[in-house]
Amino acid sequence: MAKHNLDPNYLDPDYEPVVNHSGNKAFQEVLAARVQRRTLMKGGVGAALASIMGVGLAGCGSDSKSDNNGEGTTPDADNTKATDLGFEAIAVSTANTVVVPTGYSARAFLPWGTPITGSYPAFRADASSSGADQEQQVGMHHDGMHFFPIDFKAGGNRSDEGLLVMNHEYINQAALHPDGPTYNQNGMRPTDEVRKEIAAHGVSVVHIKQDSAGTWDIVFGSPFNRRITGNTDMDIRGPVRGYQKLATRFSNNGTQTRGTLNNCSMGPTPWGTYLAAEENWHGYFANSAQMQPREQTRHGVGSSTRYDWELAEGGNDQYVRFNITPTGRSGADDYRNEANTFGYMVEIDPFTPESKPQKRTALGRFGHEGVIFAPVEEGKPVVCYSGDDSRFEYIYKFVSSRPYYAATASGYLLDEGTLYVARYNEDGSGDWLSLSLDDPDFVSRIEAAQGSTVGEVLFEGFENQADILLNTRLAADIAGATPMDRPEWGAVDPNTGEVYFTLTNNSQRTEEQVDAANPNAENRTGHIIRWSESENDYAGTGFQWDIFVFAGEQGTETVADGEVMVSLTDDNIFNSPDGLWFDYNGRLWIQTDGSDAPPYQNNMMLAANPETRDIRRFFVGPQGCEVTGVVTTPDVKTMFVNIQHPAKDWPFGNEGDHPRDATVIVTRNDSGVIGA
């Protein structure tokens, strides 16, 4: 997640306020005492102690092999060197260009404003393109992405043609318009400027193909080329669909909404669709009422918006909806509930361009960074993980109620199931805590919490399961989850089945708040955590965890059982790990979104051998950027890497104040496997 450019300090990790005021140890101790008293009254001390103390389950490491979720080639299980790194690490860089190792080439592709659909309006270098133009062009601030082989639905894995689907997290207003955002004499904004800004958000689906010379280009005129924006009609699915707290003037019955915003990471599903994550959506809405509901306070909704879209001239409902201050008699009369239709994973079918995006509410509502799927198995539940990217927030797991069968699998599997939140115990064990009214332990904690101040709001219970999912953060507070140091991207090792997550940083963690999983006070550089599910059961409720690597300066050590596993050098110093992805052979790719000051300089991407913990710098981005989003073709011979918010004059050197986010294509000069 990038810090948004609201002021010159937007990259400062201290910029965004902490909104979790309830996950502290003091609250948990009070709540634990209440749970124990209530449970004793019901005659079950053992259950109470297990719920409060998190009795560890015996775990074991995994040596199973994944089928890669059907995303590409199956790793060669017999090749023990498949994850070895075969390139020389590159140095840190301050250059305003992309740097890759000797023997590799990189070129910019699909920059912001590239026409991909409709009438294919050309990009205007002075940024004077209209809102209608932007709705047909690649959006701004590229982020998570995935490459779907064009023959995926037929069971193929072609590497020379496919659909590249990418998120557009947010915008740089100054670069998007010729002279930045403007206002009229009444303080209102031109409608077309607002239309353009909303259109620059969302998702791009681009049909691309490699020619005989190995050059990639857009397949112009393809029916698959598509833009999904902040104004695209969407359905709400799962347990929160139709809940009265989602009723708006646009959808009185709370079953539809418009648009997806602040899409950071993503997740390809085993059945060939794309899940876009809605992360920092709270800043797009304003509520100037004296009292705000917990659905807003626990996420940091304020009295002003990030881009002033609600001030668009003309009072059109497309823009008024961002002012969620109550004005009518109920939610059906105004847009007080509009923000409640954001904060979900949004499923998009890239192979069915006429399909309507679906917001999958069973996966919870919070600041989703992305989603990753555990290896699927016929007849067993679908399991996926998601991080909530904010300080002291949590890591979640969803387990479907219905079993997976490849022949019939679709998004319906994500509409019914159990959402869990992670507790990391001091002894290296972990527990998945259910957020379900069917779980007696969770119900006991809800009962115990009533009358307490949780998240600076008096807690008076939940109406139903939909209310729990709408207030996922609050439910996780009550369940007793472990507050983490900004959990962002996750990845599952295709060779071992272990799950990895980046914990980007948390400069506001105090000495009193450190724990085994987040052991550094004022954690400005972050770390990567990993775990194995107990007995290799992804649907289970126990796991064993460790820390894969601590980020930091030269000499930063990661120690396990008294042995130094990693000691960072000039070849691999990094800070604020963010993006994370395993390629189809099992190499781990780590992307950064942190300080670009010495000694780290420009943000970068590193490759890691997960078995040996050999980590080397592979890619450095241009000045001022975040390196975010990475995927390869199934043969791992073409890599796509996204560059977000470059500072100036990138990628072509003549952009001035209108730099263009872009995808970078990386290939080996000898046409070999990337990283090998």
Side-chain angles (χ1 to χ4, degrees):
M1 175 198 74
K3 296 300 176 189
H4 304 283
N5 51 333
L6 302 178
D7 62 28
N9 299 314
Y10 79 97
L11 286 175
D12 183 347
D14 292 323
Y15 181 81
E16 205 161 298
V18 172
V19 293
N20 185 357
H21 302 287
S22 57
N24 55 73
K25 293 180 181 178
F27 171 76
Q28 293 303 330
E29 289 167 359
V30 171
L31 184 57
R34 290 191 180 188
V35 173
Q36 186 171 4
R37 286 198 299 272
R38 286 177 181 266
T39 309
L40 282 168
M41 290 170 64
K42 295 178 181 179
V45 66
L49 291 175
S51 174
I52 297 163
M53 303 303 296
V55 176
L57 300 178
C60 60
S62 169
D63 60 1
S64 62
K65 302 296 179 182
S66 160
D67 68 356
N68 242 352
N69 291 344
E71 294 176 24
T73 56
T74 301
D76 182 357
D78 296 325
N79 183 3
T80 58
K81 300 297 183 182
T83 57
D84 281 355
L85 306 182
F87 62 91
E88 294 295 324
I90 62 174
V92 296
S93 171
T94 59
N96 197 30
T97 188
V98 167
V99 182
V100 291
T102 300
Y104 287 81
S105 296
R107 75 175 181 92
F109 186 52
L110 298 176
W112 156 55
T114 301
I116 60 171
T117 189
S119 62
Y120 290 86
F123 175 77
R124 298 179 184 176
D126 64 353
S128 63
S129 299
S130 68
D133 291 341
Q134 182 62 77
E135 289 167 349
Q136 304 169 76
Q137 298 169 334
V138 170
M140 192 178 242
H141 283 17
H142 301 25
D143 210 295
M145 64 179 162
H146 189 71
F147 176 86
F148 294 89
I150 197 65
D151 57 352
F152 180 93
K153 293 290 188 178
N157 58 2
R158 282 180 58 176
S159 291
D160 63 341
E161 183 178 1
L163 305 181
L164 190 64
V165 188
M166 73 176 75
N167 290 343
H168 303 290
E169 186 181 3
Y170 66 110
I171 58 172
N172 177 346
Q173 285 180 299
L176 189 64
H177 307 294
D179 299 301
T182 63
Y183 297 79
N184 67 17
Q185 59 185 4
N186 297 318
M188 304 298 286
R189 298 205 53 212
T191 300
D192 196 64
E193 281 190 8
V194 175
R195 178 181 179 181
K196 184 177 182 181
E197 292 174 13
I198 293 174
H201 284 70
V203 176
S204 292
V205 180
V206 192
H207 186 176
I208 61 175
K209 188 174 183 179
Q210 198 174 32
D211 65 19
S212 58
T215 301
W216 290 90
D217 202 355
I218 301 167
V219 179
F220 293 97
S222 169
F224 296 120
N225 292 335
R226 182 184 183 188
R227 279 302 323 279
I228 293 99
T229 75
N231 263 335
T232 301
D233 286 358
M234 303 192 173
D235 284 333
I236 297 168
R237 297 293 180 185
V240 187
R241 176 180 171 86
Y243 184 36
Q244 52 92 13
K245 290 185 179 180
L246 271 67
T248 66
R249 195 155 68 200
F250 174 73
S251 177
N252 288 177
N253 60 4
T255 61
Q256 297 183 75
T257 189
R258 284 172 290 193
T260 183
L261 298 169
N262 212 260
N263 304 107
C264 195
S265 183
M266 50 78 236
T269 69
W271 47 91
T273 59
Y274 180 91
L275 286 169
E278 296 182 322
E279 190 197 3
N280 286 310
W281 48 269
H282 64 277
Y284 294 81
F285 301 95
N287 185 347
S288 58
Q290 187 173 2
M291 294 292 293
Q292 294 185 1
R294 63 191 185 188
E295 292 83 23
Q296 297 171 23
T297 57
R298 189 60 180 80
H299 286 276
V301 172
S303 59
S304 61
T305 65
R306 185 169 293 154
Y307 302 122
D308 291 336
W309 291 345
E310 76 280 11
L311 301 180
E313 297 169 326
N316 189 302
D317 261 18
Q318 291 183 61
Y319 314 119
V320 170
R321 64 191 174 104
F322 296 102
N323 182 351
I324 58 176
T325 307
T327 58
R329 292 178 299 177
S330 71
D333 300 317
D334 54 31
Y335 285 102
R336 70 184 66 180
N337 293 327
E338 181 73 6
N340 292 347
T341 69
F342 288 81
Y344 304 103
M345 296 301 307
V346 183
E347 186 172 19
I348 297 164
D349 185 350
F351 292 99
T352 310
E354 68 278 8
S355 62
K356 200 173 182 181
Q358 312 284 305
K359 296 203 176 186
R360 301 293 180 188
T361 65
L363 275 61
R365 173 178 173 267
F366 46 88
H368 283 277
E369 178 73 17
V371 67
I372 54 168
F373 284 80
V376 290
E377 188 174 342
E378 291 283 302
K380 291 192 175 182
V382 168
V383 177
C384 56
Y385 305 88
S386 189
D388 185 352
D389 179 14
S390 193
R391 295 178 189 85
F392 302 108
E393 295 301 342
Y394 309 119
I395 294 175
Y396 298 87
K397 176 170 81 170
F398 172 80
V399 180
S400 70
S401 297
R402 302 178 184 178
Y404 170 86
Y405 295 102
T408 58
S410 71
Y412 77 89
L413 290 167
L414 303 179
D415 286 341
E416 296 179 9
T418 302
L419 187 65
Y420 297 88
V421 65
R423 178 173 60 205
Y424 294 83
N425 301 319
E426 297 292 310
D427 63 357
S429 68
D431 301 292
W432 290 110
L433 309 173
S434 167
L435 303 181
S436 170
L437 289 175
D438 293 330
D439 180 356
D441 288 340
F442 181 53
V443 171
S444 292
R445 295 184 74 86
I446 292 173
E447 293 172 351
Q450 292 192 44
S452 300
T453 299
V454 185
E456 300 185 335
V457 175
L458 182 66
F459 177 66
E460 298 177 340
F462 296 110
E463 290 183 350
N464 48 36
Q465 189 64 33
D467 198 19
I468 287 173
L469 292 169
L470 186 64
N471 292 279
T472 303
R473 283 181 170 178
L474 179 60
D477 294 339
I478 292 167
T482 302
M484 308 297 283
D485 286 349
R486 286 185 60 202
E488 297 216 37
W489 293 49
V492 178
D493 189 330
N495 294 319
T496 68
E498 291 175 306
V499 185
Y500 289 63
F501 258 80
T502 53
L503 300 174
T504 298
N505 54 48
N506 185 355
S507 59
Q508 296 186 24
R509 186 177 290 273
T510 66
E511 290 286 354
E512 292 73 27
Q513 293 171 312
V514 300
D515 54 47
N518 306 272
N520 292 331
E522 296 186 18
N523 182 11
R524 295 182 178 274
T525 53
H527 54 292
I528 298 175
I529 198 167
R530 66 178 176 181
W531 64 87
S532 295
E533 296 283 4
S534 297
E535 300 180 0
N536 300 325
D537 181 8
Y538 289 100
T541 58
F543 60 93
Q544 298 291 324
W545 66 269
D546 71 354
I547 291 174
F548 177 67
V549 66
F550 287 104
E553 300 183 1
Q554 294 90 337
T556 299
E557 293 183 341
T558 305
V559 180
D561 296 326
E563 180 181 355
V564 176
M565 309 304 294
V566 183
S567 181
L568 298 183
T569 69
D570 290 345
D571 289 344
N572 55 19
I573 57 168
F574 68 103
N575 77 108
S576 300
D578 188 338
L580 198 67
W581 184 69
F582 275 102
D583 68 29
Y584 302 122
N585 292 318
R587 291 182 190 83
L588 181 64
W589 299 89
I590 304 166
Q591 299 177 311
T592 71
D593 177 23
S595 168
D596 53 6
Y600 311 105
Q601 309 300 358
N602 296 357
N603 277 292
M604 64 188 70
M605 181 171 70
L606 308 97
N609 181 329
E611 182 179 354
T612 64
R613 302 198 216 199
D614 177 14
I615 302 172
R616 304 180 192 178
R617 190 177 303 104
F618 177 83
F619 178 110
V620 181
Q623 295 171 0
C625 81
E626 171 188 355
V627 180
T628 178
V630 57
V631 70
T632 67
T633 50
D635 62 8
V636 199
K637 293 184 178 181
T638 297
M639 174 176 277
F640 303 97
V641 182
N642 274 339
I643 296 298
Q644 184 183 108
H645 60 73
K648 193 171 184 176
D649 286 325
W650 192 86
F652 307 117
N654 56 3
E655 289 79 8
D657 293 327
H658 304 285
R660 300 173 71 183
D661 312 83
T663 301
V664 175
I665 295 177
V666 179
T667 54
R668 267 176 61 159
N669 298 342
D670 63 1
S671 301
V673 171
I674 305 292

